[in-house]
Every structure is written in C-alpha cells, then in structure tokens.
Amino acid sequence: MKHNFGAGPGILPHEVLKQSAEAVLDLNGIGLSLLEISHRSPEFESVLNEAVSLVKELLHVPAGYSVLFLQGGASLQFSMVPYNLLPQDKTAAYLETGVWANKAIKEAKLFGTPVVVATDKENNFRTIPKKYEVPSDAVYFHITSNNTIYGTQIHEFPKSEIPLVCDMSSDIFSRDISVADFGLIYAGAQKNMGPAGTTLVIVKDDLLGKSGRAIPSMLNYQLEIDNGSMYNTPPVFAIYVSMLTLRWIKAKGGVAAIEKANEEKARILYEEIDRNPLFKGVCSAEDRSTMNVCFIMEKPELEKPFLKFAEERDIIGIKGHRSAGGFRASIYNAMPITSIHALVDVMQEFAEKNK
Ligand SMILES: *Cc1c(COP(=O)(O)O)cnc(C)c1O
C-alpha cells in the first residue's frame, strides 16, 4: 500500500473512490452513467441538493448565507471576490501569508486598492503575523486559513468588524469553524473535499450587489445563487465525488470528530520531528498546520537520500514545494493514522542508519 502525502490533488477515502467508480458505470442502478445524464435530471439535482445540504449541516451554516459549487478553482476566487465585493474606489485589506495570498492580492489590484496589513515575507512565511491594523474603511479583510506551501495555519481567526473573506482551500472541513464570523469562504475542492474541478463558496448574501459594476454572468455570485449553481452545466463528477466525501465526513461523526483525529495525527508527526535529531520543523510552533507538515533536515545533504529511502518504503509525495524546499507531508482528512505511523517508522529507521 502506498502512503500518499501529496499536497494536492490530495487523497480521498477509498470507499469514496470506489463508489465514484461505480457511479461512472451506473448511478444508483438507473442503468446510466453519472457522466451521461442531464444535470437537470432529478438524479443529478438530488446529488447537488445533498451536497449543498451536507455543507450546511457539517459547517452549521446560518441563515443568510448561500452555498455554491463553482468552477475555476480557488484561483478564480482571487478575482471573483474583488470583482463582486470591491468597488473601484475602495480598499480591501489582505494578510500576506504566502504565495496563495500573494496571488489573491495581485488580482485584487485589477478591481480596487488592496492594502497589505502585514506580511512575513522576509522570513519566508514561517509565521502568521498577528499584530496589524485593518483600515476601518476596508470593505473586506482577506485571509488564508492554511498556507499549504509553508505549513502554517491560522489557529485563531481575527475578530473583525470588517467582513472576513477566507481562502480555506487546504483546511476546509478539517476543523470546526463559525461561519457567522465570515463574510465569504472559498475552497478549491481538491485538497480536502473532493477532486479537482469544483470550488466551494459560502457567501453572506447581504454583501452582494454593492460593487457598482457590471459583472460578467459566469463571474457573478448573485447569478449563480439565483440559478442554484446551475447557470451553466456544473462539474457533475467533481460535485458528486465531493458529495460522497461529505457523506463520509458525516459518517465519521462530523467535522468535530475529524478535527480530533487531525490533531492527533499532526501531534504524532510533529513530536517525531521535534524528537528525531535528524529532522527539524520550519514554522514557528504556534502556527504549525495540522494539514501540511513542513520539515527539513539538520544536514541538508541527507535530504535526497531520505527522500529516496522514504519512496522505497512507499512514502509518496513528501518533497517540499519548490518555493519552500525540504519536506512537506500533507495529512488531509482522508489520511489514516496508519500512514502517519508508517512515515514516523521510516524517519526512525533512517535516523538509526545515519547515526
Ligand atoms: C491549492 C490552493 C490554491 C489554488 O487552488 P486552485 O484550485 O488550483 O486554483 C489556493 N489557495 C490555497 C490555500 C491552496 O492550497
């Protein structure tokens, strides 16, 4: 068995993959493939409805919010957010915590004036800045809850009068959140919710309609709300697999139970990194991510041999991102604790051989 620590697209529960494969051949015994039925058929409408209600149930989404399944990845949200929310003559605040936050800032410049309230760029984003002021005239405050590349995570969300917009691509459904504290949440599915091809958006309805500009239909949240995420043909397969993954989360006991398991998995791995004399963590301890565990070796010349050693023992996908280096073990919801133990065993075996 391979232990897949890849950062994204990430692993999915085996039973979800199996059911998805079955639905491609024959959806619920109707004699037709999921991929060849109308998206407006009752069969697919019930898939989409179930996906939306599972999101609402699992995250306790309050009234006044809409749940959308869109396309274009989290990256299109970098533009859709300011297109829909940021008037040309207004500012929005951004917390710069890495490459993804950076890309969001770049897009916002096309629509208004983003203000970077804090950054840890000089330190290659090893910490989450905590001391900053959000300008009182900002129309929203954009944060990235989990920085997939650097392995940092916001553990305490800022209390903000200004609507919080959050990119949760790599930690959505990994921990309990209070949706009411956010104006808009978005997440590309392929890290922790499903396959690539759909993007979850949860938006507070009363933020919309204030940009003062005409918005192309496919980029307009309100139009997607009015059309129930079906202004055009939705990504049926990605939504179906996401729905199955949400069912799996529910069967596991919901987000709170998943959160507990995630904390345990992360604790075991960080403990080994801190204990093993060959390895060391990269991020400041209080900002460490429970999803992407980044580490380096005390002796950089051992990194290549360790990577090979690990791959020979079926540990896959732990090479760090090109802009961070070292190693990154992504331990998303679907990662079983047995895979964490397998990685820890390999680290210990390697340390034993390299004393
Ligand atoms: C992967 C990732 C993205 C980019 O997602 P796409 O769906 O590929 O556009 C954006 N933000 C974060 C935090 C990510 O981890």
Side-chain angles (χ1 to χ4, degrees):
M1 186 196 136
K2 302 244 190 222
H3 305 282
N4 179 3
F5 290 89
I11 53 169
L12 291 167
H14 181 74
E15 57 258 52
V16 166
L17 295 177
K18 197 161 170 292
Q19 285 174 296
S20 306
E22 283 161 8
V24 166
L25 294 173
D26 183 356
L27 177 65
N28 305 332
I30 63 170
L32 291 169
S33 166
L34 162 72
L35 304 184
E36 59 184 16
I37 58 171
S38 165
H39 56 291
R40 306 210 182 266
S41 64
E43 287 83 6
F44 185 73
E45 284 207 341
S46 98
V47 169
L48 182 55
N49 289 341
E50 185 174 347
V52 169
S53 44
L54 281 167
V55 170
K56 289 184 174 167
E57 182 184 342
L58 291 168
L59 295 179
H60 317 289
V61 177
Y65 286 78
S66 296
V67 173
L68 299 171
F69 283 90
L70 304 179
Q71 302 190 54
S75 299
L76 186 58
Q77 295 308 306
F78 299 160
S79 323
M80 270 180 83
V81 163
Y83 214 150
N84 284 263
L85 303 185
L86 179 59
Q88 194 72 51
D89 58 346
K90 290 276 169 68
T91 68
Y94 280 76
L95 186 61
E96 190 184 32
T97 51
V99 165
W100 297 120
N102 234 301
K103 289 189 172 178
I105 293 161
K106 179 179 166 216
E107 297 302 303
K109 287 180 182 159
L110 299 171
F111 301 97
T113 312
V115 183
V116 176
V117 296
T119 180
D120 189 36
K121 199 173 179 167
E122 319 73 59
N123 194 22
N124 204 25
F125 301 113
R126 289 192 181 93
T127 65
I128 302 276
K130 288 167 204 78
K131 287 209 176 75
Y132 49 78
E133 242 173 85
V134 179
S136 59
D137 61 346
V139 295
Y140 62 80
F141 177 27
H142 182 285
I143 58 176
T144 312
S145 59
N146 184 71
N147 297 283
T148 326
I149 294 172
Y150 310 90
T152 62
Q153 189 173 26
I154 299 178
H155 291 295
E156 205 174 311
F157 289 110
K159 292 271 166 278
S160 172
E161 294 289 298
I162 291 155
L164 271 181
V165 172
C166 190
D167 176 357
M168 290 195 191
S169 293
S170 50
D171 67 352
I172 189 96
F173 299 110
S174 74
R175 55 173 168 170
D176 256 335
I177 52 162
S178 165
V179 173
D181 295 343
F182 297 87
L184 190 149
I185 292 167
Y186 63 89
Q190 72 275 15
K191 308 273 169 48
N192 222 2
M193 187 182 81
T198 191
T199 310
L200 175 68
V201 174
I202 304 172
V203 56
K204 197 169 185 210
D205 300 323
D206 68 11
L207 294 181
L208 301 176
K210 297 174 183 166
S211 73
R213 61 168 74 85
I215 302 170
S217 305
M218 283 296 290
L219 302 176
N220 189 333
Y221 292 126
Q222 190 59 57
L223 201 75
E224 286 289 359
I225 293 171
D226 296 343
N227 288 277
S229 298
M230 289 225 270
Y231 178 71
N232 74 329
T233 315
V236 292
F237 185 69
I239 292 172
Y240 182 75
V241 182
S242 299
M243 185 277 283
L244 291 180
T245 311
L246 297 171
R247 268 190 196 164
W248 175 86
I249 293 173
K250 186 175 168 182
K252 286 269 161 192
V255 175
I258 292 276
E259 176 173 13
K260 223 169 139 237
N262 286 337
E263 279 171 359
E264 176 69 359
K265 289 185 291 179
R267 187 188 61 75
I268 293 169
L269 192 46
Y270 283 120
E271 252 177 40
E272 179 60 20
I273 291 165
D274 293 340
R275 187 207 61 80
N276 192 316
L278 252 48
F279 299 92
K280 66 176 180 193
V282 245
C283 309
S284 65
E286 79 270 17
D287 299 325
R288 283 172 163 182
S289 168
T290 57
M291 295 283 99
N292 310 97
V293 176
C294 291
F295 55 98
I296 53 178
M297 296 190 84
E298 294 283 359
K299 295 181 186 154
E301 66 273 19
L302 284 181
E303 290 194 347
K304 264 201 179 133
F306 176 67
L307 190 65
K308 185 161 173 282
F309 186 84
E311 277 171 1
E312 284 163 3
R313 284 154 185 79
D314 287 339
I315 302 288
I316 305 302
I318 57 167
K319 194 174 174 8
H321 188 275
R322 60 188 183 279
S323 53
F327 300 96
R328 168 177 56 176
S330 297
I331 54 173
Y332 297 125
N333 289 348
M335 165 87 30
I337 199 158
T338 47
S339 292
I340 307 287
H341 289 304
L343 174 55
V344 167
D345 288 350
V346 165
M347 292 165 80
Q348 291 179 354
E349 203 189 324
F350 191 75
E352 195 55 42
K353 288 201 160 72
N354 288 277
K355 266 208 257 204

